[in-house]
């Protein structure tokens, strides 16, 4: 009887400990304190793993824990990211009837001509680097920022709360559709908690107000309705995902074999017709989303801002840092301008290979290919912020791959850069992160290949 009570008390003890650790993270942490950050994060990661292990059959207990941990952050200001100040700025611009894609915050602050309340405070908060570039957040993101501006008025904390509630609602949607997909694939439903209870998800989305979670909600809903043969609704949802973050655009070519190979040879034309309809719906919704902001200046400014991520910014990269080092040895200077153009071309080639030569007959195969595509994209990228890892993490839940779970733990090491005034990264820590992740990823690929080869051989051997 004593052992029974002890066993049942353990999840509650873990839950209480999680509340304390997340409270410390939300209200008593600065990102410069790297040791405390990593210690808290490691504790939370172990705690989440243990909760899922102990309560994997109690879906509602884990769901309640996930919601409780998120609500802890509700009245806190993000402490690991300054981006939310730009979100509030853009939202207030839009509410005032100004196109946020056409104006630089630094210009409006310098001239005092902008319509933004608390302009100086928001500009100081977002930082000179952010304030000197045009916004790169797509229209649906801007709409959420505007909602915060409408309902929170001049309150910065109020704006944060509104945006946070949207992000939490999206996480609930991910839990709903994720459970349904796992049940369809005959996988354990608790696997969705490797995402929903993951401290990286809770901290970077609810805590730091990054909108990858809302994007992933629309993406997951799109995949679910694709499974249900509701092509048009799936296309609309995929387009909404793109209107939050542009990343899902890389998944469009992967649908080619999914549409083509699902059908019988006699239905090939019908498959092509559905595929073209699907792409048309996605394109139409995206165009309609951008239409209210459309002008030549908007296109130019938005493209220039996006281009910075490929040819100017560097953070927590892997293959690119190796290429850059080789460039220094050969050229004697940083070759990001060249590498930022070549590496995307390498990715496009890999994407075409995955699109036309990998079997994507089932939705589960498609998700697996999407995971491979997005990991290739990030391994070749010049900038990989911790919250970027959330996309491969969610996709991995529906596959046999576990490397993204490891990555979600190790990526916190990249915050070392903020622990020193010069914002210098530790290449040793980056090496630890990527050698471990790529090592596990390579092993899982090899294991899959070996199992596939053995499966093909076995009939002949019999």
């Amino acid at each position: 009887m004593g052992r029974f009570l002890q066993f049942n008390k353990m999840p509650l003890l873990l839950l209480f400990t999680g509340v304390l650790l997340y409270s410390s993270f939300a209200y008593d942490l600065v990102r410069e304190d790297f040791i405390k950050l990593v210690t808290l994060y490691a504790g939370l990661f172990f705690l989440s793993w243990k909760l899922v292990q102990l309560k994997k059959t109690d879906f509602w207990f884990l769901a309640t824990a996930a919601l409780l941990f998120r609500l802890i952050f509700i009245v806190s200001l993000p402490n690991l990211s300054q981006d939310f100040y730009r979100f509030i700025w853009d939202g207030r611009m839009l509410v005032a009837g100004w196109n946020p894609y056409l104006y630089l915050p630094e210009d409006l602050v310098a001239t005092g001509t902008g319509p933004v309340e608390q302009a100086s405070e928001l500009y100081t908060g977002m930082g000179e680097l952010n304030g000197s570039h045009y916004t790169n957040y797509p229209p649906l993101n801007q709409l959420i920022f505007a909602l915060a501006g409408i309902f929170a008025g001049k309150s910065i904390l109020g704006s944060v709360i509104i945006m946070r509630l949207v992000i939490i609602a999206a996480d609930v949607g991910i839990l709903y559709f994720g459970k349904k997909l796992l049940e369809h694939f005959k996988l354990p439903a608790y696997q969705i908690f490797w995402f929903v209870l993951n401290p990286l998800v809770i901290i970077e989305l609810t805590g730091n107000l990054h909108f990858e979670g809302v994007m992933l909600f629309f993406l997951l809903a799109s995949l679910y309705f694709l499974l249900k043969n509701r092509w048009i609704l799936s296309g609309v949802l995929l387009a909404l995902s793109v209107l939050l973050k542009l990343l899902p655009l890389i998944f469009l070519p992967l649908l080619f074999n999914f549409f083509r190979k699902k059908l019988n040879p006699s239905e090939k034309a019908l498959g092509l017709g559905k595929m073209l309809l699907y792409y048309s719906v996605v394109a139409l919704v995206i165009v309609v989303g951008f239409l209210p902001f459309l002008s030549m200046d908007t296109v130019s400014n938005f493209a220039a801002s996006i281009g910075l991520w490929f040819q100017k910014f560097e953070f927590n990269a892997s293959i690119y840092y190796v290429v850059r080092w080789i460039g220094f040895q050969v050229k004697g200077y940083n070759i990001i301008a060249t590498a930022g153009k070549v590496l995307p071309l390498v990715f496009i080639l890999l994407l075409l290979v995955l699109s036309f030569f990998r079997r994507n007959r089932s939705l589960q195969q498609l998700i697996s290919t999407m995971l491979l595509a997005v990991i290739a994209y990030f391994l070749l990228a010049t900038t990989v912020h911790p919250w970027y890892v959330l996309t491969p993490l969610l996709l991995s839940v529906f596959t046999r791959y576990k490397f993204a779970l490891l990555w979600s733990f190790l990526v916190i090491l990249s915050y070392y850069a903020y622990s020193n005034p010069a914002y210098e990264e530790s290449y040793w820590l980056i090496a630890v992160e990527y050698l471990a992740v790529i090592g596990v990823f390579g092993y899982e690929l090899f294991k899959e290949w070996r199992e596939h080869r053995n499966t093909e051989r076995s009939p002949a051997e019999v």
Side-chain angles (χ1 to χ4, degrees), residues 176-177 179-186 220-235 237 258-259 262 274 278 362-364 366:
Y176 175 79
F177 285 111
K179 181 176 183 290
K180 282 186 168 294
L181 284 174
L182 286 168
E183 289 171 345
H184 176 81
F185 297 147
K186 294 180 171 51
L220 202 61
S222 172
L223 292 174
Y224 174 77
F225 287 110
L226 191 62
L227 178 69
K228 296 298 182 180
N229 292 333
R230 298 179 65 178
W231 317 102
I232 295 179
L233 178 57
S234 173
L237 290 166
F258 179 78
F259 277 90
K262 265 178 65 70
K274 286 183 177 179
Y278 193 87
S362 70
L363 184 67
Q364 197 169 12
L366 175 63

Side-chain angles (χ1 to χ4, degrees), residues 36-247:
K36 182 176 181 179
L37 189 158
V38 170
T39 302
L40 282 173
Y41 188 79
L44 287 167
F45 206 93
F46 172 79
L47 181 148
S48 297
W49 170 76
K50 201 65 181 174
L51 271 177
V52 175
Q53 182 188 53
L54 292 175
K55 302 294 287 184
K56 62 176 63 176
T57 58
D58 192 340
F59 181 88
W60 289 110
F61 179 90
L62 294 178
T64 301
L67 181 60
L68 176 62
F69 292 157
R70 283 162 170 79
L71 292 177
I72 290 170
F73 288 87
I74 199 71
V75 292
S76 68
L77 291 179
N79 53 13
L80 298 183
S81 173
Q82 301 166 288
D83 292 347
F84 73 98
Y85 288 107
R86 183 59 182 262
F87 302 162
I88 297 171
W89 176 285
D90 283 3
R92 292 183 181 179
M93 288 279 289
L94 195 55
V95 170
W98 290 47
N99 185 340
Y101 295 104
L102 299 181
Y103 303 94
L104 292 173
E106 67 174 6
D107 291 343
L108 296 180
V109 169
T111 59
T113 56
V116 177
E117 296 285 348
Q118 301 166 295
S120 295
E121 184 177 350
L122 293 175
Y123 177 72
T124 301
M126 73 177 73
E128 292 183 8
L129 180 62
N130 196 322
S132 64
H133 295 108
Y134 292 102
T135 187
N136 64 345
Y137 303 106
L140 192 50
N141 236 165
Q142 297 290 344
L143 178 60
I144 297 172
F145 303 159
L147 288 175
I150 292 170
F151 291 106
K154 300 177 182 179
S155 171
I156 290 177
L157 177 59
S159 298
V160 166
I161 292 172
I162 296 297
M163 291 187 285
R164 188 162 278 149
L165 290 174
V166 172
I167 289 171
I168 292 174
D171 282 352
V172 173
I174 288 174
L175 179 62
Y176 175 79
F177 285 111
K179 181 176 183 290
K180 282 186 168 294
L181 284 174
L182 286 168
E183 289 171 345
H184 176 81
F185 297 147
K186 294 180 171 51
L187 294 172
Y190 72 82
Q191 287 187 190
I192 192 59
F193 290 104
W194 295 131
F195 180 87
V196 176
L197 264 178
N198 193 301
L200 185 69
V201 176
I202 296 171
I203 290 165
E204 294 295 1
L205 299 186
T206 302
N208 293 321
L209 293 185
H210 296 296
F211 283 85
E212 269 69 13
V214 186
M215 175 267 285
L216 289 171
F217 160 69
F218 284 117
L219 177 63
L220 202 61
S222 172
L223 292 174
Y224 174 77
F225 287 110
L226 191 62
L227 178 69
K228 296 298 182 180
N229 292 333
R230 298 179 65 178
W231 317 102
I232 295 179
L233 178 57
S234 173
V236 170
L237 290 166
L238 182 58
L240 293 177
S241 181
V242 173
L243 288 171
L244 267 154
K245 301 287 179 180
L246 299 182
L247 180 65

Side-chain angles (χ1 to χ4, degrees), residues 331-343:
K331 296 289 187 178
Y333 57 85
N334 192 337
I335 60 170
I336 186 172
T338 302
K341 295 176 182 177
V342 174
L343 291 178

Side-chain angles (χ1 to χ4, degrees), residues 41 195 198 200-201 204 212 216 247 316 371 374-375 378 384-396 403-412 414 433-434 437:
Y41 188 79
F195 180 87
N198 193 301
L200 185 69
V201 176
E204 294 295 1
E212 269 69 13
L216 289 171
L247 180 65
N316 192 38
L371 174 61
V374 81
I375 188 65
F378 287 133
V384 182
H385 289 298
W387 54 93
Y388 292 5
V389 177
L390 301 183
T391 299
L393 176 64
L394 180 60
L395 293 174
S396 71
F403 71 90
L405 188 61
L406 174 64
W407 198 5
S408 71
F409 174 65
L410 293 176
V411 74
I412 203 70
S414 65
E433 173 191 347
Y434 281 107
V437 171

Side-chain angles (χ1 to χ4, degrees), residues 244-283:
L244 267 154
K245 301 287 179 180
L246 299 182
L247 180 65
L249 284 172
I250 70 173
F251 300 137
L252 284 173
L254 303 177
L255 292 168
F256 176 77
N257 274 341
F258 179 78
F259 277 90
R260 186 173 67 90
K261 291 188 175 182
K262 265 178 65 70
L263 304 171
N264 296 323
S266 61
E267 298 176 322
K268 190 172 182 180
L270 181 61
L272 179 61
K274 286 183 177 179
M275 182 177 66
L276 292 177
L277 174 62
Y278 193 87
Y279 286 149
S280 298
V281 168
V282 173

